[in-house]
Amino acid sequence: MAPKQNEKCIRNTTIKVRLYPTPEQAVLFDKTFGCCRYLWNQMLADEERFYHETDMHFIPTPAKYKAGAPFLKEVDSGALAAVHQNLRKAFQHFFDNPSSYRHPTYKKKKHCKNSFTSYCQYYPSGKGASIYLTQDGIRLPKAGIVKANLYRKPLHWWTLKSATVSKTPSGKYFCSLMFEYAEKPVALVPPTPETTLGLNYSLSHFYIDSNGRAADAPHWMQQSQDKLIRMQQRLTRMQRGSHNYDQQLLKIQRLHEHIANQRKDFVHKESRRIANAWNAVCIKDTNLVEMAQQIKLGNIMDAGYGKFRICLQYKLERLGKPYIVVEKYFPSAKTCHRCGSVNEALSPNAKRWICPACGAVHDRGKNAAINLRDKGLEQYYGT
Ligand SMILES: [Zn+2]
């Protein structure tokens, strides 16, 4: 099979920036989070009632609720329209693929993300848009210009599609700006074993590649993790509800966010390094349920592996390089990459092993990564 040439396509990209709202703007955002949650729950209840009575699916539009709940008029109507769209999408996902998606559920104030999305409206004859960027801020409907740290500017041919405002548990506001742009086709370089990297997921090393390189979590991440454990221990000795307790809890929430940022930073840098250096990457399809169980074991990098794969895929694809997924039942660990025999007796804990068929000495992770690389290339070329 000849490698496919990339077709010209529409891409999305997001820039997430910190917002610095005035107290009035912060109140408006908090109100909008509440209104969106309220509207979601109302629409979901009406959908369920309608379905119960008529056996048909229907979600009323936000306008229907404004008379009974005048506070909805105080917030961005675009955000309310987005709730309607999101609920429709959630039902669509569930109807199309009930084994992977849950039926939409009610949002509880305590256990739901504080966020709302507003789609950008473009007014006819060049009269501007409902959302746009200024020198050091973002214009949002109802809120006006909100101060923002625009550390990265969009390219001039990008079109702003939407803005999602969110608030972290420690009270910081962020805005994710989504842009759309058309991309020119990229010339595809056919991958060879020398220019292809196999990646094997590793619980203790994040991953081990087909050259035997392990990507350990950086030292500074381990330091944050140790600090978090100490802070949590201190919290357990404090009186619940006291001033000190609340202060400590806030510190812990901030550190959690800091660790999440460190992880994101590491994942982006690692995936960028690989995407630039290699012409193709082969990786095993992972069982997300098994992954979730492993995450509970508490390695700090585990939560980042899913994100790492997503980053790696889009970074490679934007460079016109293949990201090859090998099916999850392929016995990458038990197969000898030298002679191809499968060692069924291999213990799951063995780090090193000797092939009973050919006598080759294997490092478990490296051998598995080499097998993934070879299997992936075989798949890619259809041999
Ligand atoms: Zn062998």
Side-chain angles (χ1 to χ4, degrees):
M1 182 192 77
K4 284 178 276 299
Q5 199 69 25
N6 272 14
E7 283 151 28
K8 182 166 179 166
C9 51
I10 301 293
R11 297 231 186 256
N12 289 324
T13 193
T14 52
I15 296 179
K16 190 173 179 180
V17 298
R18 175 99 186 256
L19 291 180
Y20 299 92
T22 62
E24 293 77 27
Q25 287 170 331
V27 168
L28 178 67
F29 288 156
D30 292 347
K31 257 189 202 169
T32 314
F33 299 141
C35 284
C36 287
R37 191 162 48 226
Y38 168 85
L39 191 64
W40 173 280
N41 290 341
Q42 292 291 315
M43 285 176 169
L44 182 55
D46 284 340
E47 202 283 345
E48 283 177 350
R49 193 173 321 121
F50 191 78
Y51 179 64
H52 188 72
E53 287 164 5
T54 65
D55 225 23
M56 284 193 299
H57 293 282
F58 171 73
I59 306 168
T61 59
K64 180 189 169 260
Y65 298 92
K66 284 189 179 169
F71 51 89
L72 293 176
K73 289 180 192 159
E74 292 172 29
V75 305
D76 173 15
S77 61
L80 303 179
V83 173
H84 184 252
Q85 275 198 34
N86 289 344
L87 185 60
R88 261 191 19 215
K89 260 188 243 163
F91 269 111
Q92 203 55 55
H93 285 313
F94 171 67
F95 295 147
D96 292 347
N97 197 352
S99 59
S100 306
Y101 289 92
R102 286 192 311 165
H103 187 278
T105 55
Y106 291 94
K107 291 190 192 294
K108 290 184 189 136
K109 192 175 178 189
K110 273 201 161 171
H111 305 286
C112 100
K113 210 179 157 224
N114 277 320
S115 80
F116 68 85
T117 297
S118 188
Y119 292 95
C120 187
Q121 309 288 327
Y122 288 92
Y123 306 119
S125 64
K127 280 199 183 139
S130 64
I131 304 169
Y132 55 84
L133 306 186
T134 64
Q135 198 56 36
D136 59 352
I138 301 169
R139 195 271 171 190
L140 291 164
K142 294 268 178 174
I145 291 170
V146 187
K147 210 168 162 268
N149 176 15
L150 297 168
Y151 65 98
R152 196 182 145 201
K153 299 270 164 143
L155 300 173
H156 64 87
W157 63 87
W158 294 4
T159 313
L160 181 62
K161 300 303 282 185
S162 68
T164 299
V165 175
S166 60
K167 185 185 181 183
T168 65
S170 71
K172 291 177 191 159
Y173 292 86
F174 289 91
C175 184
S176 279
L177 299 158
M178 192 174 81
F179 298 90
E180 198 179 81
Y181 62 95
E183 200 169 62
K184 292 182 201 93
V186 195
L188 224 150
V189 189
T192 64
E194 290 72 38
T195 59
T196 300
L197 191 69
L199 290 183
N200 182 51
Y201 172 67
S202 152
L203 197 55
S204 45
H205 298 291
F206 196 52
Y207 69 72
I208 293 176
D209 72 19
S210 45
N211 297 318
R213 182 185 179 275
D216 286 301
H219 175 62
W220 35 267
M221 281 195 67
Q222 194 56 52
Q223 280 178 335
S224 305
Q225 186 71 9
D226 295 344
K227 192 172 167 193
L228 182 65
I229 292 166
R230 283 199 303 277
M231 281 168 77
Q232 275 164 339
Q233 281 167 346
R234 205 171 303 152
L235 185 73
T236 57
R237 290 195 293 270
M238 289 177 175
Q239 176 116 41
R240 201 174 254 275
S242 68
H243 179 70
N244 283 344
Y245 183 92
D246 291 345
Q247 288 297 306
Q248 185 70 4
L249 197 62
L250 189 63
K251 275 189 204 164
I252 289 176
Q253 281 164 344
R254 284 202 188 118
L255 187 58
H256 267 300
E257 285 164 21
H258 180 64
I259 291 175
N261 287 336
Q262 286 185 322
R263 184 186 293 128
K264 218 185 285 170
D265 183 60
F266 173 73
V267 157
H268 273 292
K269 282 182 181 154
E270 253 325 275
S271 53
R272 170 53 62 207
R273 189 186 62 74
I274 294 174
N276 286 351
W278 299 87
N279 279 354
V281 170
C282 306
I283 203 161
K284 198 168 186 171
D285 194 5
T286 29
N287 185 330
L288 289 176
V289 177
E290 274 172 25
M291 286 275 306
Q293 283 165 353
Q294 287 168 348
I295 287 165
K296 280 190 194 138
L297 294 175
N299 183 309
I300 42 170
M301 281 317 299
D302 291 339
Y305 196 67
K307 171 99 179 150
F308 169 72
R309 290 169 51 112
I310 293 168
C311 288
L312 191 56
Q313 180 172 11
Y314 81 75
K315 283 177 178 149
L316 283 163
E317 283 174 354
R318 281 181 193 178
L319 296 170
K321 296 173 174 181
Y323 170 86
I324 304 162
V325 178
V326 176
E327 57 111 356
K328 62 177 174 244
Y329 299 110
F330 172 62
S332 51
K334 292 177 190 168
T335 308
C336 166
H337 79 263
R338 272 269 215 82
C339 70
S341 69
V342 179
N343 181 4
E344 290 295 352
L346 183 66
S347 142
N349 302 319
K351 294 250 185 273
R352 289 186 161 274
W353 59 283
I354 298 168
C355 174
C358 74
V361 182
H362 293 307
D363 172 90
R364 185 195 186 88
K366 186 180 173 184
N367 176 62
I370 293 172
N371 284 326
L372 288 172
R373 179 194 71 193
D374 295 347
K375 179 77 180 173
L377 282 174
E378 213 178 279
Q379 230 172 270
Y380 183 76
Y381 287 106
T383 50

